[in-house]
Amino acid sequence: MNERITLKYDVHCDDFTRAGEASSSVKRKLKLMGVNPDVIRKVAIALYEGEINMVIHSYGGTIEVIISPSVIEMILRDTGPGIKDIELAMQAGYSTAPDNIRSLGFGAGMGLPNIKKYTDDLKIESEMGIGTTLRMLVYIPLEE
Amino acid sequence: MTLENFINIFDELELVNKGEELDREVTKPYCCDLLSIAMSKMPQGAAWVTVMANVNTLAVASLTDAACIILAEGCNFDEASLEKAKEKGITILRSHMPVFECALMIYKKLNG
Ligand SMILES: Nc1ncnc2c1ncn2[C@@H]1O[C@H](COP(=O)(O)OP(=O)(O)O)[C@@H](O)[C@H]1O
Ligand SMILES: [Mg+2]
């Protein structure tokens, strides 16, 4: 695998029936490409948390995944309210998710911390009333 | 134990959906209803015992390569989620047992 592969997905707000489809699709493709299972796991966790955040907290957006031989880059762009205090949002347990979201098993305030933990690099840009962009990198270790 | 065996061995568990890859290994029971934790901590090939029955449970099960979902406390998926489980080939069982007792029963069978 030498070329770069770019995958694009739309994410719709409040649509839980489709939430996780982008993550599942990326996972399937990486598996077919024979990518290291630990890398796939990290990508799946980070992407799913990011995708769910777009469904819950934004008005919708796009996910772009660029797969190259040494790194997987994921760019999640949404339009929405934005994140006022990113440092606060990154803290484990901080959540503004309403009760109906909690009853679905989300809203524990662990999404962003999980993303941080399972990616090798994370950059968040957010503008109030405009939207949020997450850029995350997961490196693919060289096979021996 | 293979998933095929697992499905057949428990009288206490009702089969809700027979999924795909029945020759795969069921490794251990895992309990958690909080999806962010389940997502990051679920062991490969887990028998995931939970009371969280919605489409997100299915997404997490498939992303973490859980072997099957076991709904405890008599919980049940709605029609739409069941359809999705069939489409995704996810094996689902259910029981009226509490989460801990259900997982303990599975643990004993897998380790004894
Ligand atoms: N894409 C987003 N747009 C707006 N706000 C967001 C977004 N992602 C996260 N947030 C904010 O950051 C908080 C923490 O996010 P997270 O750690 O994923 O926890 P949770 O989703 O469980 O609330 C959210 O409650 C929300 O206030
Ligand atoms: Mg979240």
Side-chain angles (χ1 to χ4, degrees):
Chain A
M1 180 183 79
N2 273 318
E3 78 277 37
R4 279 158 53 117
I5 297 171
T6 303
L7 308 168
K8 282 189 183 148
Y9 304 90
D10 289 326
V11 178
H12 305 268
C13 76
D14 293 330
D15 188 355
F16 282 103
T17 54
R18 277 193 283 175
E21 272 185 11
S23 324
S24 298
S25 161
V26 171
K27 186 193 164 197
R28 227 167 18 245
K29 292 211 162 78
L30 293 176
K31 215 169 169 179
L32 283 176
M33 290 162 79
V35 172
N36 176 318
D38 290 336
V39 170
I40 298 181
R41 206 176 107 80
K42 288 163 76 178
V43 167
I45 292 171
L47 210 48
Y48 182 66
E49 292 285 6
E51 190 176 352
I52 288 294
N53 276 356
M54 291 168 79
V55 172
I56 296 174
H57 304 293
S58 87
Y59 308 148
T62 58
I63 293 179
E64 202 177 325
V65 180
I66 304 156
I67 306 165
S68 44
S70 61
V71 66
I72 296 169
E73 183 180 5
M74 296 163 271
I75 304 160
L76 287 66
R77 283 191 190 87
D78 69 53
T79 52
I83 303 174
K84 195 166 160 192
D85 184 342
I86 293 176
E87 211 176 305
L88 183 62
M90 290 299 301
Q91 285 180 17
Y94 176 81
S95 174
T96 60
D99 283 348
N100 66 317
I101 296 297
R102 286 173 206 272
S103 69
L104 292 173
F106 299 112
M110 295 186 55
L112 291 175
N114 263 355
I115 292 174
K116 176 87 189 159
K117 183 170 162 198
Y118 289 98
T119 55
D120 297 307
D121 189 61
L122 167 66
K123 286 196 176 62
I124 304 176
E125 281 164 34
S126 193
E127 208 174 323
M128 293 301 289
I130 307 277
T132 303
T133 299
L134 263 66
R135 282 168 210 278
M136 32 207 213
L137 298 180
V138 173
Y139 295 115
I140 302 175
L142 279 175
E143 298 289 338
E144 300 288 302
Chain B
M1 187 185 296
T2 65
L3 184 52
E4 177 89 64
N5 260 339
F6 185 92
I7 289 172
N8 294 321
I9 208 170
F10 295 102
D11 294 331
E12 300 86 342
L13 302 180
E14 172 197 342
L15 184 61
V16 177
N17 185 53
K18 192 167 179 173
E20 288 156 15
E21 296 184 59
L22 296 173
D23 55 345
R24 64 175 303 183
E25 185 78 11
V26 183
T27 56
K28 55 168 91 166
Y30 177 79
C31 310
C32 185
D33 300 321
L34 207 51
L35 298 180
S36 282
I37 293 182
M39 184 69 206
S40 68
K41 298 288 166 63
M42 184 105 56
Q44 174 102 2
W48 182 17
V49 186
T50 179
V51 294
M52 195 55 73
N54 59 52
V55 281
N56 308 302
T57 319
L58 300 174
V60 170
S62 98
L63 282 166
T64 57
D65 284 324
C68 59
I69 297 170
I70 296 151
L71 296 177
E73 300 279 9
C75 293
N76 232 335
F77 281 111
D78 58 29
E79 272 308 310
S81 301
L82 255 184
E83 268 316 301
K84 191 108 182 178
K86 285 181 184 148
E87 190 187 304
K88 288 188 161 191
I90 300 174
T91 295
I92 299 167
L93 301 106
R94 70 189 282 263
S95 157
H96 284 275
M97 296 166 95
V99 172
F100 174 74
E101 284 166 30
C102 187
L104 183 63
M105 171 185 78
I106 292 166
Y107 182 87
K108 283 180 175 164
K109 274 265 164 60
L110 289 180
N111 293 279

